[in-house]
Amino acid sequence: MMKGGFEVVHATLDMIQPHHEAIWDFASVGFPTTSTVSSIPRQIVENRCINLERNELSEWVEQVTKQLIDDLPAAETGTDYSSSMQADTSMVCEDNFAPSVLGDFRPRKTVRTSFLDGSCGEELQWGNELGDQTNNVCENGGNGRALSRLDEQGLSLITLLLECSVAISVDNLGEAHRMLLELTQIASPYALSCAERVVAYFAKAMSSRVINSWLGICSPLINYKSVHCAFQAFNNVSPFIKFAHFTSNQAILEAFHRRDRVHIIDLDIMQGLQWPALFHILATRIEGPPHVRMTGMGSSMELVVETGKQLSNFAKRLGISFEFHPIATKFGEIDITIVQVRRGETLAIHWLQHSLYDATGPDWKTLRLFEQLAPRVITLVEQDLSHGGSFLDRFVGSLHYYSTMFDSLGAYLPADDPSRHRIEHCLLYSEINNILGIGGPARSGEDKFKHWRSELARNCFVQVPMSSNSMAQAQLILNMFPPAHGYSLVQGDGTLRLGWKDTSLFTASAWTSHASR
Amino acid sequence: MKLSSAKVPKESKGAFPSHGGHIYNSLHSKRRSGHTILPLQPADQLEQWSSVGVDMHNNNTNNHHHPQNSHTSTSRSSDYSAGEPCATGNKWASRLLRECATAISDKDSSKIHHLLWMLNELASPYGDCDQKLASYFLQALFCKATESGQRCYKTLTSVAEKGNSFDSARKLILKFQEVSPWTTFGHVAANGAILEALDGETKLHIIDISNTLCTQWPTLLEALATRNDETPHLKLTVVVTANIVRSVMKEISQRMEKFARLMGVPFEFNVISGLNHLGELTKEALGVLEDEAIAVNCIGALRRVTVEERGAVIQMFQSLGPKVVTVVEEEADFSSTRYDFVRCFEECLRFYTLYFEMLEESFVPTSNEKLMLERECSRSIVRVLAYDNDQDSGGECERRERGSQWSDRLKEAFSPVGFSDDVVDDVKALLKRYKAGWALTQPNQDETGLYLTWKEEPVVWASAWKP
């Protein structure tokens, strides 16, 4: 099955790009297994935050380089894909999922069904569907119970939550508020049951929304420090961020093949965890490192500048000539002149999307700026979650998405693990709160694209399929995160998707501008 | 309430009275696309709120956290520089909450909305202490602003009662007693006073007006059993005042009877519940017999009596002819401040900040028991701050008074009894079993009782009285 799958993947690669020209030849980029391995960090399962604020440069550098240099040609080499490779490219995509569920779920202005009577069958049905979607067996059963094994309590909570979402979707806020009072008194975020934890956070997010509705305000107030800290904790226990980083780095690397002067724009750099690995590889290129210019964008100038300093020092140690430009404005709100396009430079734009805050501003402006900049590659990692649509659309989609996410954490970490709590509370709950909030994830009421890949495809961009080397990188990362068998890695449509069990959570893709060639 | 945007969901009529709808119309600004994001603030109030921002944010170089800047596309977006509320807890919650309470008292509608928005965004019942306080007090303030306090409180309590079971209640109280002397302090002091006052008596009748699920009595039974003289007969009549406890009393009575049998103490157990007013109690209702030595033990129960009836209840105690009355209450004053919202709010905030911090330090962060205790507080907070004073729901009032205030009342009918050195030693020994931070103080000459202190703040008061 594995082998067949692998072949299918190859075939898919050839087939999917009717317009594909050999922009760059993957085979010739020639990343032998060993150097691929060396770019993968050894997993350090630590629960403490990498605390840049202590400004111990040496400690930070040590932390990061340790991850790079202490590489093992570990038990897993590049060729063994058996453990988590799935040939099934027909993974359920949330675009297909949501509408079919919504069919059961059109807003009903009337009904308050009690979970005790039969008329609630629909919701229960839905609940079970969710279960089938997310899981069959939770292998690490001792630690957390997956959504599929909903106990009665979990089931009744989810039912009430769904009813509540319907009430909100029809603006019956009084009724919603009452139900939320109930939910927020019962559901605990420290429960053994993942379902109950999810309900606790969803209920709180909806309560927050009800209050904002009443106030007539949709704007968020973000605690960036807390969010970034939780992001790091998440990076330590879950493979998704590294997946995003390393597959994107690979695509960028390939785009930078034989280029001497490169420019990377990271639309939301945070602590810049992604880049040391790339620098390391660039530094050890056969043809020597290029001159690297990086434009880092982020929420606070202070943080971006600090990140820039760390990266500069790191690059210096590797012998890479490096420039850093910090920008504390949203990408969609800057003028092209701020970016400083230089002739002879190869441009890569990187975007790891999330729902923690609106990192880029108006989507149409972002797209336009992409077009103007005509980068050689855009590496895009999207959450498999639609940010657009009505409240109910977002509710349904995000309930599925975050249930899966909570399951993946619960399969690995015990119920009282403080790191898990921090991730769930400071990171995932922040996202849930934004997605369910008034004005959607950006909390601005702006229309957001539902699906960036489609937008890029529609507008002067050509997809560059993720190479087998990217796939290999993803594979190696997965092998470092137990329980590896829970995660599902799929290559298809030129993208790489990482998810938990049957649900895809992140999709990595790469794009090139027509004009860049 | 009218919102001038098509995209932001319209409010439903019914649940929320339209407060200040007219204010919204004048304050809302329309963005180009017709969305209403938030209310504009009059320019002269900007300065005021900047100062709140400065205090809140540690390293923030930009003071502006005003929501209206967040989506100005021409200028630098300020939900970036909108500042990062300090994650290290420099008491931002109490500052914002106090400002909000003042604004409510001043009926400053736009300020109220702005502060509620900030609290709403920053609060979380699952975060750190500041976030929790913000969350639960926000709930109360929101109830107050929407005049839905009564409904909210009733919903919260009925949900809590439904979810209550003997197992969960027992687990909760035992865990709490394991990690904190908050309740055991009063038990040890009261038991000591009762045993001394009733020493030599053969027929004891303890009237226990509390919601402690009888966790106080095993040690007393044990003490009775291990006396050298003949073990006296103990009749225990428990008067339950919190509805949430009623359902579990059956199971408790079975266990108590069993325990007494094991201890070899002749024992009789009765429960009285469903009283509307404590003052209704009579000797007959309680089954008080002439030859019994009576002790009235009142733990956290007096605060549940409506303020105007407290004198009558104390008179009722007197009518029972007790040899000793033990009273334990939490040290806070929501009673004399009940007509002054801001003062009451501040006292409430002071007390619950202490309590939440105590819980935070006593339990592990992910403790479900801690969560349940916090939720219990949230109900009390709504009750005190958002539930109309005039509405008498009988037995669910939560207006605490300080020891000195209770003393004044009790002195009408009783005289204070000091705790003996033995009892004080027992209490000190108890406190040693817990984490640091707890201490015992004996008050000045003109005050009575013993205080449990947490980080040098008096939090629980225990006292004993005789006729």
Side-chain angles (χ1 to χ4, degrees), chain B residues 150-213:
Chain B
Q150 181 177 6
R151 215 163 37 94
C152 176
Y153 180 74
K154 285 193 182 333
T155 304
L156 291 175
T157 43
S158 85
V159 170
E161 282 166 24
K162 257 193 294 181
N164 198 36
S165 69
F166 174 72
D167 282 329
S168 66
R170 179 169 153 273
K171 196 167 164 224
L172 176 62
I173 206 168
L174 288 180
K175 187 71 190 171
F176 189 30
Q177 290 177 350
E178 187 190 310
V179 303
S180 165
W182 191 276
T183 51
T184 46
F185 164 81
H187 295 178
V188 170
N191 282 347
I194 290 171
L195 284 168
E196 283 176 3
L198 299 185
D199 193 23
E201 299 285 342
T202 52
K203 286 189 74 183
L204 312 184
H205 185 176
I206 298 179
I207 299 168
D208 179 19
I209 310 174
S210 75
N211 299 296
T212 57
L213 305 184

Side-chain angles (χ1 to χ4, degrees), chain A residues 18 27 38 57 75 92 101 108 113 151 154 175 191 222 241 245 366 400 415 424 460 481 502 507 515:
Chain A
S38 70
L57 168 66
V92 173
V101 171
R108 283 165 294 151
T113 59
D151 54 337
E175 184 66 13
I222 318 277
I241 308 296
H245 290 174
T366 300
H400 181 61
E424 290 176 352
C460 317
F481 282 90
D502 290 331
T507 299

Side-chain angles (χ1 to χ4, degrees), chain A residues 53 168 171-175 177-178 181-192 196-197 200-201 204 207-226 267-268 298-303 328-331 333 357-362 365 415-418 421 425 429 433-434 438-439 442-447, chain B residues 1 3 7-12 15-17 19 24 28 31 35-39 58-61 65 67 70-73 75-77 79-87 112-114 116-118 120-128 131-132 135 138-139 142-143 145-146 148 151-152 155-156 159-160 162 365-368 370-371 375 378-379:
Chain A
E53 304 201 302
I168 288 187
D171 284 334
N172 188 353
L173 296 183
E175 184 66 13
H177 187 234
R178 195 192 52 73
L181 284 178
E182 206 176 316
L183 281 166
T184 53
Q185 281 282 295
I186 306 173
S188 164
Y190 315 123
L192 279 178
E196 191 174 332
R197 293 166 93 111
Y201 288 115
K204 226 25 197 167
S207 299
S208 198
R209 180 196 165 100
V210 165
I211 294 182
N212 275 341
S213 269
W214 182 81
L215 292 172
I217 302 177
C218 64
S219 202
L221 195 52
I222 318 277
N223 183 339
Y224 292 106
K225 285 193 176 96
S226 158
L267 300 193
D268 190 10
S299 51
S300 95
M301 185 53 102
E302 198 190 327
L303 179 63
T329 312
K330 296 180 188 181
F331 183 76
E333 289 173 3
Y357 46 82
D358 182 18
T360 49
K365 283 192 181 175
D416 56 2
D417 184 276
H421 174 64
H425 179 251
Y429 172 58
N433 196 35
N434 287 333
I438 301 171
R443 309 282 299 278
S444 62
E446 271 169 16
D447 285 326
Chain B
M1 163 176 327
L3 298 172
K7 297 257 174 152
V8 178
K10 292 195 182 359
E11 298 305 301
S12 73
F16 300 127
H19 284 281
Y24 274 110
H28 277 172
R31 292 177 72 247
H35 299 163
T36 302
I37 308 306
L38 2 98
N58 250 348
N59 306 316
N60 189 26
T61 51
H65 59 271
S70 302
H71 302 284
T72 312
S73 49
S75 67
R76 206 168 109 172
S77 176
D79 60 354
Y80 281 160
S81 52
E84 307 168 19
C86 181
I112 293 171
H113 283 85
H114 185 93
L116 286 177
W117 167 74
M118 289 183 72
N120 189 35
E121 286 299 310
L122 300 172
S124 166
Y126 313 130
D128 62 26
Q131 288 178 295
K132 286 177 183 164
S135 178
L138 170 64
Q139 177 177 67
F142 182 66
C143 284
T146 55
S148 56
R151 215 163 37 94
C152 176
T155 304
L156 291 175
V159 170
K162 257 193 294 181
T366 54
S367 158
N368 277 304
K370 175 167 64 109
L371 183 63
R375 285 174 174 172
S378 77
R379 301 193 285 274

